[in-house]
Structures are given as structure tokens and as C-alpha cells.
Amino acid sequence: MLPNKRPENMDRITTLELANKFISEQIALVREQVGDKKVLLALSGGVDSSVVAALLIKAIGKNLVCVHVNHGLMRKGESEEVVEVFKNQLDANLIYIDATDRFLNLLEGVSEPERKRKIIGGEFIKVFDEEASKLSGISYLAQGTIYPDIIESDGVKAHHNVGGLPKDMEFELVEPVRLLFKDEVRVVGRALGLPSSMVDRQPFPGPGLGVRCLGAITRDRLHALRESDAILREEFDKAGLTSQIWQFFTVVPDFRTTGVKNGKRAYDWPVIIRAVNTVDAMVCTVPEISYTVLKKVTDRILHEVDGVCRVLYDLSPKPSATIEWE
Ligand code: XMP
């Protein structure tokens, strides 16, 4: 088992060589810990759980059982990428659960942000728990706990009520990256051959698009949000902004605005572009994005996304505003 505290003489993992050394050591430690027993992992597709999955697949192959719960609030293409990388490329023992309807039905009419978060977090635990109880012979639970989780919280991987796992699961934990900082986890992910779209992914909240589809979530606004977010990501990527901006996404409010489409008066949704730079997410600035890029994103959203007639760029730093809109 790994200690709780990072040893003072532990090398910072900055190179692929150091990452490969770390990977070999962890493979040996995990094999020693779990032997030929089965290990369960909730694989969200985020950096930490993806790196743990890739590492454990190397260590114990099919004895790692990954469960990916699609709560219907993922970004465009995200769940598909998890299946493509882990099932098709890495041959993982992956259970994919599309729980979209379950989550969206529960969230219907719920507009209060913290209640939305609690519902998403609570349902995630339920779905995972149900799936785990169908499996037999599981002895261990793997988690993508990283060092800041240990320093900043009680060591449980749970942010803002989402992403936590059932408290009553009586499994011993396997947490191979628990002494690493985020930048080290990314280097290890690269050494394991994970794609940059996974390893260099920007932070994505556990409740996902649920907190960006403001107020009570509706399927039409969720669709507009997912499509506009995909356009934003594509255009920022083309403009070389992906690695320069810490976090960016779109938001769809729960009020309509007047517009004109095809010569007729429209009453459609606005889309807000949010982009921030920060070191620690506590204080953020808003990057100056070229007008050409903003205009391209705006034009594409207005032409390609149904039900949207207006696009705005949020210029508010943190403080006064938070990064997310709710
Ligand atoms: P705020 O909006 O508080 O966001 O300035 C700071 C960082 O936290 C992320 N965030 C969340 N992450 N569950 C998460 O896992 C949440 O409910 C949640 N709310 C905000 C946000 O994306 C940003 O990176």
C-alpha cells in the first residue's frame, strides 16, 4: 500500500522516462496488492480515472472491470471516446451504461443548482452501485484519487457532491496515482499512450453539462448546449487556443430572446461563451480572444444549432463571477 504522505525525496515526474519507471513500480505494487482478484473502477473519461484505467489494464488486464456511466450530461463525443479508447483500442473489460433517460427524467423541472448537483451525484452512485451488485467476485475498488484530493479534502474523490462512490461499498481501495500532482498524472498518461484529448483535457465538472444548461434542464436546450460547445471546441482548437486557455465552454440560459430567422421573427435561446485563464480556479482572468475567432464561432452556432438566435461572450473575471454560471 502507498503511504498517505508524499515522501520528501520523491522525484517529480516530468519526463516519459520517469513516468515509465513509475508505471513499472506501480504495476508490481498493484499485482502484489490484488493478486488474481477483480478490481472495479468508475471510468468517467476524466484524466485521473483514465490514467488509472490504462495503468491497471497493464497490470491486471481483464481483472479490471471498468464501468462508464453516461449520465446524458457529457460533452459531444465524450462517452464514445471512452468506449473507443478503452474497449476498442486497449481491449478493456468495460461496461457502458447509457443512463441518460434516468438522469434527465429525475432532473425534469428541477431548477435549483445545488439540488441539480445532489440529484446527479446521488443518481450516479445509485447506478454504479446497482451495476456493482450485479457483478460477482469483486474485491477491490480503484479510484483516481490524486495528491491534491488528499491534501485538500479527506482523501475521497468527490467534488461538489458528484463523483463520490457508495460509502457502504466494502472494498479495499487501489489508488495508484494518489501521490501524484495533476501535471505528473498527465505525463504518466502520455507514457501509457493515452490520446492528448484525454490526457490534456480541461477540467470538466462532475455534473457536466447539467450546470451549464441553466435552470430546469430541457432536452432541446441540452442539445443546443452540446452542439454549441462542440463548435466552440472545434474552432478554438483550429485557432490554436486549446492549450492556451485553461477552461472554455458554452452555457445556455433558461430564457428566450427575440431574433429574426429566415425573414421571420424568432423567439429562441441565447448561447454564452465562457473562457477563463487561471492557476488554481480561485482567481481567473478572461482571455482576449481575437474578434475573427469569436465571429467564426458565433456564425457557426447561429447557422448550425437549432433554436439559437444570439451569442454572447462573458467578460467577467473571477471574482466577481464564478467560472460556471450556476
Ligand atoms: P467555479 O464555478 O466555482 O468553478 O468558479 C471552479 C472550478 O470548479 C469546477 N466546478 C465543478 N467541478 N463539480 C465539479 O466536479 C461541480 O459541481 C463543479 N462546479 C464547478 C468548474 O468547472 C471550475 O473548473
Side-chain angles (χ1 to χ4, degrees):
M1 285 285 282
L2 293 169
N4 238 341
K5 199 166 174 317
R6 190 175 163 114
E8 269 167 29
N9 60 355
M10 185 169 156
D11 285 331
R12 189 92 180 191
I13 301 172
T14 50
T15 61
L16 290 182
E17 204 183 340
L18 287 169
N20 283 325
K21 182 166 164 269
F22 172 84
I23 291 165
S24 306
E25 286 164 5
Q26 287 308 316
I27 287 175
L29 278 174
V30 168
R31 285 183 182 155
E32 192 184 312
Q33 184 187 357
V34 310
D36 58 3
K37 299 270 168 45
K38 284 193 178 152
V39 180
L40 183 64
L41 169 74
L43 176 59
S44 67
V47 181
D48 307 331
S49 66
S50 296
V51 170
V52 167
L55 185 59
L56 294 188
I57 289 167
K58 277 211 157 181
I60 58 170
K62 293 267 163 92
N63 275 351
L64 173 72
V65 183
C66 301
V67 177
H68 176 71
V69 178
N70 177 358
H71 50 24
L73 303 164
M74 308 289 281
R75 285 176 291 196
K76 190 173 180 176
E78 235 168 6
S79 284
E80 290 82 354
E81 188 180 31
V82 170
V83 173
E84 169 57 28
V85 170
F86 287 97
K87 198 165 191 118
N88 301 349
Q89 294 175 22
L90 298 179
D91 197 25
N93 190 352
L94 171 70
I95 299 170
Y96 169 74
I97 302 161
D98 184 356
T100 302
D101 286 337
R102 233 174 119 156
F103 280 82
L104 294 189
N105 290 344
L106 265 183
L107 287 162
E108 210 176 307
V110 181
S111 56
E112 208 269 306
E114 286 315 307
R115 252 189 62 66
K116 285 166 70 179
R117 282 186 166 82
K118 284 226 163 70
I119 289 173
I120 299 166
E123 195 60 11
F124 179 88
I125 289 174
K126 252 191 174 167
V127 174
F128 187 75
D129 210 5
E130 280 170 23
E131 215 45 47
S133 65
K134 286 185 209 156
L135 302 165
S136 58
I138 302 282
S139 314
Y140 294 87
L141 184 70
Q143 291 203 134
T145 311
I146 66 171
Y147 204 45
D149 298 325
I150 296 178
I151 301 169
E152 288 160 22
S153 70
D154 56 2
V156 177
K157 185 93 188 164
H159 308 281
H160 305 263
N161 310 317
V162 180
L165 290 172
K167 290 205 168 45
D168 56 355
M169 276 195 172
E170 306 237 316
F171 299 129
E172 193 182 306
L173 294 179
V174 179
E175 298 179 307
V177 297
R178 63 180 294 172
L179 297 182
L180 303 192
F181 290 102
K182 195 81 176 189
D183 53 303
E184 298 178 287
V185 179
R186 293 190 206 276
V187 183
V188 170
R190 251 171 246 132
L192 286 163
L194 289 175
S196 163
S197 52
M198 256 177 191
V199 169
D200 299 314
R201 221 172 82 126
Q202 52 180 279
F204 185 60
L209 299 181
V211 292
R212 297 175 182 169
C213 188
L214 305 186
I217 298 167
T218 55
R219 290 181 193 242
D220 59 341
R221 284 189 305 114
L222 187 58
H223 179 76
L225 175 60
R226 185 173 283 123
E227 294 302 317
S228 59
D229 184 70
I231 291 173
L232 181 75
R233 284 195 282 149
E234 203 180 305
E235 291 303 324
F236 273 24
D237 218 29
K238 275 195 220 154
L241 294 173
T242 303
S243 57
Q244 285 175 35
I245 302 177
W246 194 79
Q247 195 174 13
F248 55 86
F249 51 87
T250 60
V251 174
V252 176
D254 55 347
F255 57 83
R256 289 180 190 266
T257 166
T258 48
V260 187
K261 272 199 168 172
N262 305 322
K264 277 202 237 132
R265 197 168 172 81
Y267 197 43
D268 282 339
W269 309 113
V271 163
I272 299 155
I273 299 170
R274 182 73 169 138
V276 292
N277 273 331
T278 182
V279 174
D280 55 6
M282 301 301 284
V283 173
C284 307
T285 55
V286 177
E288 273 189 40
I289 293 165
S290 94
Y291 182 78
T292 316
V293 175
L294 288 175
K295 188 167 179 318
K296 180 84 195 287
V297 173
T298 302
D299 286 347
R300 280 197 59 195
I301 292 175
L302 293 179
H303 282 104
E304 295 173 34
V305 185
D306 280 347
V308 176
C309 66
R310 203 180 282 269
V311 177
L312 302 99
Y313 183 38
D314 180 354
L315 290 176
S316 325
K318 176 178 181 178
S320 296
T322 50
I323 298 176
E324 302 290 345
W325 266 59
E326 66 174 29

